Every structure is written in structure tokens, then in C-alpha cells.
Amino acid sequence: MDVSPVAWILTIVVLLALVAVDLFLNRKPHEVTLKEASLWGIFWVGLAVVFGIGLWVFSGSAPAGEFFAGFITEKSLSVDNLFVFVLIMGKFAVPPQYQQRVLLVGVLLALVLRGIFIAAGAAVVAAFSWVFFIFGAFLIWTAWKLIKEAKSDEEEEFEENALLRKVEKVLPTTDGYRDMKLVVKENGKRLVTPMLIVMIAVGTTDVLFALDSIPAIFGLTKEPYIVFTANAFALMGLRQLYFLIGGLLKKLVYLSYGLSVILGFIGVKLIFEALHGQGVHVPEIGIPLSLGVIVATLTVTTVLSLRKTKKDERAAAEAAERADKDASV
């Protein structure tokens, strides 16, 4: 797939323009309603579908298939990332009307960071084909780690990284939020607000998110343009997705298992491709199969999660009803 510099520039300009429109329309801090989140969510997903169809028309079915497989994978990984965003918002007690601005800044930081990672990853992949062995092994290890975490009964908590702890220790901070201000001057002293700390928490967490998402999508396509656009479209709707399925996140109890299957599958695919590049005869996993495995895994994961949650809720309601009857006797 040959993408001209003009197409790259035009794509980036259009994405930045969409971000600017989003920022302008949501310039006033407010609590996002379910209707607002739904409309914006449909808009971003619809835009991704239109872009994928455009790829199909102008570049063929193969690039379009790679884009949709990458987009769905990145979107599913971003849903798991929302758990961490929920923990960050809770830990720093971010007021509801400010949360969308925090997430918007987080998305912009993620776009920049992933753009850098994608450029570096594409250069490494082009120069060293054996790097797929490392990518594949890392994804399989990540899949195993997700399974172990899913089996743990411990309540997940947000753990501050070293940079965040350093900032909180060194910089004097106000005792509360000051609207959307990051730095204020009070009593002759310059202080940072909790909003800046939250921004740093979201931004540094984005770096960790990219460590599994970038190798995962390189396992589906080697085209930097498709890698970038799939990541961009997956991230652009992340803010609305946070408000849209915030309550649903707790119901997706098997999500980590589903993501582990997807990451493990892509890890094996990468290792097969690396072996194939070394002249070893191994099965070739095409995009149609990859897309089918990803969609089927997410569908089964969602259905089983919702059934499990519904069953647990019914059992809890019956237990509460029996307790009430026993108490009344």
C-alpha cells in the first residue's frame, strides 16, 4: 500500500480539525449526559466505518480488512483501559463536569505518544524482521498476565508511577480544584492544582497502554498508515465510550479473558510470521481469519459476561429477599 505524503498530511489535518471541533463544542465544562455520549460515540464509530469503506474502494479489500481488524482490536483494548481511567477519576475525585476535559487531553496525549511509537515501530519492523519474535512473545506474556489478574479476587486499585509520585512530592499543590486551571497563584505562591496531577496520571498511563496496543496492531498489519488511523479512530471515541459504558464496565467480568485470547492469538500470529520470514514452513494466518477470531471472541466474551452478571444479580436479589423474610419472622 503506497500512501503519498499528501495523503498523510491530509489525514492528520482532518483528524486535528475534528479534534478542534470536538474541543470547541465542548469548551464549557459540563456533566456529559447519556444522550450526548451516545450521539458522539455513534459519530466516531460511523466515521471509522466510512474511512474503512473508503480504503476498500480506493485500495482494495486487504487494507480495509486490516484497518477494521486493527480498529476493533484497539477499541477492545481501549475498553479495558477505561477501567484505569475510572480508577484515576475516583482516586483524585475529579468532579463530573471536568472529567470530559481530562479525557480529551488524555486522548490528545495518547495520539502524540502513539504516533511516536508507531514511527519507531515501523522503522524497527522494516529494519529487523526478527523483532516480531519479541513482539509475539511480549503479547503472549501480556495475555498470560491478564489471565492471572482476572483470576485474582483482589479489588483493583490505581497505583501511582514513579513520575507521578515525584511530582506530587516536589510541587506544592492546592487543597482542591480551581476550575480547569493547572497552575494558580495564591498568597504570593505559585501552586499546581489536582487537575495537573490528573493530567500527568492520564498521560503517563497512556504510555503503558501503548506498550501492548502497538505490537498488537503490528501483528495485524505492517502498514504504518493503517496502524496510525486505526489507533486514531479507536482513541477518538474513547472519551464518549467512558461516559457511555461507565456502568457497563463492571458487568464485563470476562473482558480480561477475551482480551487475553485476542492478544495471545496475535502473538502466535506474529511468531508464525517471523518463522515464515526465516524460511520455516508454518501456517499463515490471514486477515479474514484474524478478524473472525477477534469479533467472535469479543461477542462470546460480552454475552457470557452479561449472562454471568445477570445470574449474580438474580442470586443476590433472592438472597436479600430470603434475608428480609427471615428477619420478619
Side-chain angles (χ1 to χ4, degrees), residues 88 91-92 94 102 109 158 160-161 163-174 176-177 181-183 191-205:
I88 291 175
K91 176 178 175 59
F92 294 100
V94 181
V102 172
L109 286 172
F158 173 68
E160 298 181 359
N161 54 53
L163 174 61
L164 190 58
R165 289 195 298 270
K166 186 70 174 178
V167 171
E168 291 179 312
K169 184 176 180 180
V170 172
L171 298 179
T173 309
T174 61
Y177 290 88
K181 295 178 180 178
L182 304 180
V183 181
L191 307 172
V192 302
T193 69
M195 185 61 67
L196 178 61
I197 306 298
V198 173
M199 297 290 190
I200 294 173
V202 171
T204 52
T205 302

Side-chain angles (χ1 to χ4, degrees), residues 210-259:
L211 292 179
D212 57 5
S213 64
I214 298 303
I217 195 170
F218 268 112
L220 299 169
T221 177
K222 300 180 184 67
E223 291 291 340
Y225 183 76
I226 297 178
V227 172
F228 175 75
T229 51
N231 264 277
F233 280 109
L235 287 171
M236 296 306 289
L238 183 61
R239 183 167 58 90
Q240 288 76 24
L241 195 62
Y242 171 87
F243 296 104
L244 189 60
I245 67 172
L248 183 62
L249 285 175
K250 294 182 179 180
K251 296 185 178 182
L252 298 177
V253 292
Y254 295 134
L255 178 62
S256 293
Y257 291 102
L259 293 178

Side-chain angles (χ1 to χ4, degrees), residues 40 58 62 78 84 100-101 120 134 143 150 204 210 213 244:
W40 274 103
F58 292 104
S78 70
V84 181
Q100 66 160 338
R101 185 62 60 85
I134 299 176
T204 52
S213 64
L244 189 60

Side-chain angles (χ1 to χ4, degrees), residues 18-226:
L18 289 170
V19 171
V21 171
D22 191 356
L23 183 60
F24 176 77
L25 294 177
N26 296 284
R27 62 189 183 278
K28 293 182 179 180
H30 65 282
E31 189 170 351
V32 178
T33 63
L34 184 61
K35 179 181 178 180
E36 180 184 349
S38 301
L39 291 175
W40 274 103
I42 292 171
F43 171 76
W44 286 118
V45 172
L47 209 58
V49 172
V50 170
F51 181 83
I53 294 174
L55 277 180
W56 193 305
V57 172
F58 292 104
S59 301
S61 60
E66 292 176 357
F67 170 78
F68 282 119
F71 171 72
I72 294 172
T73 299
E74 295 300 309
K75 201 70 173 177
S76 60
L77 288 172
S78 70
V79 170
D80 191 46
N81 298 341
L82 289 180
F83 281 107
V84 181
F85 284 148
V86 169
L87 295 174
I88 291 175
M89 296 295 185
K91 176 178 175 59
F92 294 100
V94 181
Q97 66 270 25
Y98 299 148
Q99 290 183 8
Q100 66 160 338
R101 185 62 60 85
V102 172
L103 292 170
L104 181 58
V105 172
V107 167
L108 293 175
L109 286 172
L111 281 173
V112 173
L113 292 170
R114 294 194 187 198
I116 295 172
F117 284 5
I118 289 168
V124 171
V125 167
F128 310 103
S129 59
W130 50 262
V131 76
F132 278 164
F133 283 116
I134 299 176
F135 281 1
F138 176 74
L139 290 180
I140 293 173
W141 175 81
T142 303
W144 172 244
K145 185 180 177 183
L146 280 175
I147 292 176
K148 289 180 65 177
E149 291 176 353
K151 289 182 176 179
S152 175
D153 295 330
E154 295 180 6
E155 188 75 19
E156 188 176 3
E157 295 182 0
F158 173 68
E159 296 182 2
E160 298 181 359
N161 54 53
L163 174 61
L164 190 58
R165 289 195 298 270
K166 186 70 174 178
V167 171
E168 291 179 312
K169 184 176 180 180
V170 172
L171 298 179
T173 309
T174 61
D175 57 356
Y177 290 88
R178 302 294 188 269
D179 295 326
M180 288 298 301
K181 295 178 180 178
L182 304 180
V183 181
V184 296
K185 192 173 183 180
E186 296 180 353
N187 299 324
K189 295 182 179 180
R190 195 167 295 278
L191 307 172
V192 302
T193 69
M195 185 61 67
L196 178 61
I197 306 298
V198 173
M199 297 290 190
I200 294 173
V202 171
T204 52
T205 302
D206 283 332
V207 177
L208 300 178
F209 291 166
L211 292 179
D212 57 5
S213 64
I214 298 303
I217 195 170
F218 268 112
L220 299 169
T221 177
K222 300 180 184 67
E223 291 291 340
Y225 183 76
I226 297 178

